[in-house]
Amino acid sequence: MKKIAFFDTKQYDKKWFDRLNKNFDIDYYTEKLTPKTARLAKGYDGVVAFVNDTLDSETIELLYEFGIGVIAMRCAGYNNVNFKAAHNKIKILRVPAYSPYAVAEHSMALFLCLNRKIHKAYNRTRDFNFSLNRLTGFDLNGKTVGVIGTGKIGQIFIKICKGFGMNVIAYDPYPIENPDFQYVELEKLYRESDVISLHCPLTESSKYMLNAQVFEMMKDGVYIINTSRGGLIESEALLNALKNRKVAGAGLDVYEEETDLFFEDYSDKIIDDDILARLVSFPNVIITSHQAFLTDEALRNIAEITLGNLEAYFNDKPLKNEVCYCQKKGDVTSECN
Ligand code: NAD
């Protein structure tokens, strides 16, 4: 049996991998994969990693030295992987989609909660405070939602918004054919949306796409929802936009500096990140710690596809979920097969 080192394990991962795994000898490590912990992978044939593992050139070199030939990412995003370092050394596989519904539904959950102040009402009624003061929201029907990125998750989010009677405008450099919504330029989307939801990947060009200048363009009282990647938003600019009341609320499932914090319990510690601490303190900000994917359906699919990816690699089958550095394009691609 091939031996697999599984990093950053949580009980909900283990439950599904144990249930579905038949062909691998998996050791589960709670440590995140970093240059410091990479030595744990010595003696293994493959590695399973996750979104906040550090797959930089140092980690990749170490894994390569230990004879690791494959890293199976149990996630869709791969902005934490140095593909150039892995090129021709280690295959990087991923789970391109596991449940776009989980993420799209969480995006709407964040927005509904913020708009209708459910988080505040929950606390109030537990204290037998049945006052309605300051709980007023607005109807979604007829409001304009700006969706950035109309891939798998964005398209489902659009369907959900349409179910609420919202007017949908969207931006994507690769528009879908025959959309039942309107594509617009980014600037128009920023200027006209009552709520903006991010569903695009983090790349060099999309980093900080929501920055101080862009917040300035937006409608007063806009809502921002981000379940994609933290680095899409310049957090300090968001903080300022909340402070000067430009942004009426933000629902964030991701945060640019989440790597050392999210998925862990720091309830008895002092958090050094002042921007995050301030954001958490706002009554009109809801932060969830990268949990948008966390449904039974998604976890099952993640385990099934990751195990399938490893089986394909070890049995020399085509790697349909490979992502790699393409020398010709000088870029990362999942189109190399
Ligand atoms: P996808 O690849 O199906 O769609 C992404 C879309 O974004 C594509 O249509 C692409 O053309 C578009 N795009 C690329 N660059 C863009 C840009 N600069 N501006 C606007 N659009 C751009 O991906 P998906 O499955 O819909 O996932 C979307 C994002 O959701 C992922 O990148 C990932 O970061 C995030 N995600 C988060 C979670 C979570 O738990 N929070 C889980 C899964 C995925």
Side-chain angles (χ1 to χ4, degrees):
M1 261 193 186
K2 296 292 181 190
K3 289 189 63 155
I4 306 295
F6 195 108
F7 284 87
D8 197 11
T9 311
K10 299 286 182 288
Q11 47 83 17
Y12 44 81
D13 298 313
K14 190 170 180 306
K15 170 180 151 184
W16 283 104
F17 275 82
D18 276 351
R19 207 175 273 187
L20 300 175
N21 174 38
K22 291 189 185 71
N23 301 323
F24 299 103
D25 178 6
I26 303 180
D27 284 331
Y28 295 97
Y29 293 102
T30 52
E31 287 84 351
K32 285 197 173 63
L33 179 55
T34 67
K36 272 197 182 145
T37 60
R39 67 188 158 71
L40 292 168
K42 209 172 178 173
Y44 288 88
D45 301 294
V47 155
V48 172
F50 196 48
V51 280
N52 287 332
D53 288 318
T54 307
L55 287 150
D56 58 7
S57 55
E58 201 181 342
T59 306
I60 302 241
E61 271 311 316
L62 285 166
L63 294 179
Y64 182 62
E65 269 175 40
F66 301 150
I68 299 291
V70 61
I71 299 172
M73 302 296 295
R74 53 181 199 281
C75 50
Y78 44 73
N79 53 289
N80 53 331
V81 181
N82 185 329
F83 285 92
K84 211 167 175 179
H87 188 57
N88 284 336
K89 290 182 174 166
I90 299 183
K91 296 279 186 194
I92 312 286
L93 311 177
R94 68 163 183 152
V95 182
Y98 31 88
S99 173
Y101 299 99
V103 184
E105 288 168 13
H106 191 79
S107 307
M108 183 49 91
L110 285 172
F111 178 42
L112 285 174
C113 187
L114 275 172
N115 175 31
R116 302 307 299 268
K117 323 271 187 292
I118 305 295
H119 53 308
K120 298 184 78 71
Y122 175 78
N123 284 333
R124 276 190 198 183
T125 54
R126 285 169 70 84
D127 200 26
F128 302 100
N129 172 356
F130 299 112
S131 153
L132 296 184
N133 291 334
R134 298 183 306 281
L135 295 185
T136 310
F138 57 81
D139 288 7
L140 300 199
N141 183 47
K143 296 296 183 304
T144 297
V145 55
V147 179
I148 301 184
T150 57
K152 293 176 283 297
I153 296 170
Q155 285 178 50
I156 292 165
F157 183 72
I158 287 172
K159 260 193 206 154
I160 294 172
C161 291
K162 285 184 152 274
F164 280 93
M166 298 186 83
N167 165 41
V168 179
I169 55 177
Y171 169 79
D172 194 307
Y174 304 99
I176 60 165
E177 280 174 24
N178 305 319
D180 60 351
F181 53 86
Q182 193 195 353
Y183 278 111
V184 296
E185 288 306 314
L186 263 183
E187 189 172 329
K188 186 171 160 74
L189 184 147
Y190 293 142
R191 290 192 190 284
E192 295 187 2
S193 301
D194 298 299
V195 50
I196 294 175
S197 193
L198 299 176
H199 300 287
C200 62
L202 175 63
T203 60
E204 265 171 40
S205 63
S206 65
K207 181 159 189 202
Y208 289 167
M209 68 190 300
L210 300 195
N211 52 47
Q213 211 185 344
V214 166
F215 283 122
E216 206 42 54
M217 279 183 215
M218 293 179 189
K219 270 189 175 176
D220 289 342
V222 65
Y223 279 73
I224 304 291
I225 305 296
N226 186 10
T227 56
S228 281
R229 284 293 179 266
L232 294 169
I233 300 182
E234 191 179 353
S235 307
E236 197 165 358
L238 173 63
L239 185 64
N240 290 332
L242 283 154
K243 276 160 108 176
N244 65 28
R245 316 303 195 259
K246 171 61 94 174
V247 171
L252 309 173
D253 187 51
V254 285
Y255 174 63
E256 60 172 314
E257 298 297 336
E258 72 179 51
T259 308
D260 293 332
L261 294 167
F262 281 18
F263 308 120
E264 308 299 335
D265 179 0
Y266 288 104
S267 52
D268 62 348
K269 304 262 185 333
I270 306 288
I271 297 295
D272 290 327
D273 185 328
D274 288 349
I275 295 181
L276 179 64
R278 187 78 170 102
L279 285 172
V280 167
S281 77
F282 278 85
N284 53 347
V285 173
I286 296 179
I287 296 186
T288 51
S289 48
H290 211 131
Q291 78 173 69
F293 73 100
L294 200 65
T295 64
D296 272 329
E297 290 79 359
L299 289 168
R300 189 196 162 88
N301 289 339
I302 287 170
E304 204 165 70
I305 296 167
T306 304
L307 291 166
N309 285 343
L310 288 170
E311 270 159 41
Y313 171 80
F314 287 114
N315 293 308
D316 290 326
K317 299 234 173 86
L319 300 176
K320 63 178 196 297
N321 294 327
E322 180 179 7
V323 190
C324 65
Y325 176 74
C326 177
Q327 250 164 343
K328 248 192 261 166
K329 288 199 210 156
D331 199 0
V332 171
T333 175
S334 49
E335 308 289 322
C336 47
N337 316 291

